[in-house]
Amino acid sequence: KHKKESLKKLSLANQGSNHSMAKLNEGHVLSIRKLYSMGIKTKKELQEKYNVSIHTIRNILNRKSWTHI
């Protein structure tokens, strides 16, 4: 039981901008979603603006990543 609780705490601690490999933070993700949904920026423009892959942008928009926000 303790092992499961420890793993859950560890996975929550490494979410989002707390992850050591994160290039984005929660504010960036919210901006990406807003700019795209309002038709202000395309996926390609967002990719270039935030210097991440198109795959990352797609996953953010489809809520496959950054699901905690």
Side-chain angles (χ1 to χ4, degrees):
K1 182 176 179 180
H2 293 294
K3 188 173 183 176
K4 282 185 181 182
E5 289 174 6
S6 295
L7 288 174
K8 187 173 182 177
K9 284 181 186 176
L10 188 64
S11 69
L12 291 175
N14 287 326
Q15 277 187 335
S17 59
N18 290 330
H19 194 282
S20 62
M21 298 293 289
K23 290 185 177 181
L24 302 171
N25 62 40
E26 286 77 3
H28 292 142
V29 172
L30 293 173
S31 292
I32 288 168
R33 289 178 179 155
K34 184 175 184 176
L35 291 168
Y36 186 79
S37 70
M38 295 177 72
I40 296 170
K41 297 274 188 189
T42 65
K43 290 175 188 171
K44 180 71 173 164
E45 290 169 331
L46 291 166
Q47 172 204 356
E48 291 169 356
K49 176 179 171 113
Y50 292 100
N51 195 31
V52 294
S53 72
I54 197 75
H55 184 75
T56 298
I57 297 295
R58 198 175 318 120
N59 283 342
I60 290 168
L61 295 173
N62 292 329
R63 298 184 187 271
K64 290 187 177 183
S65 61
W66 292 85
T67 59
H68 64 287
I69 58 169

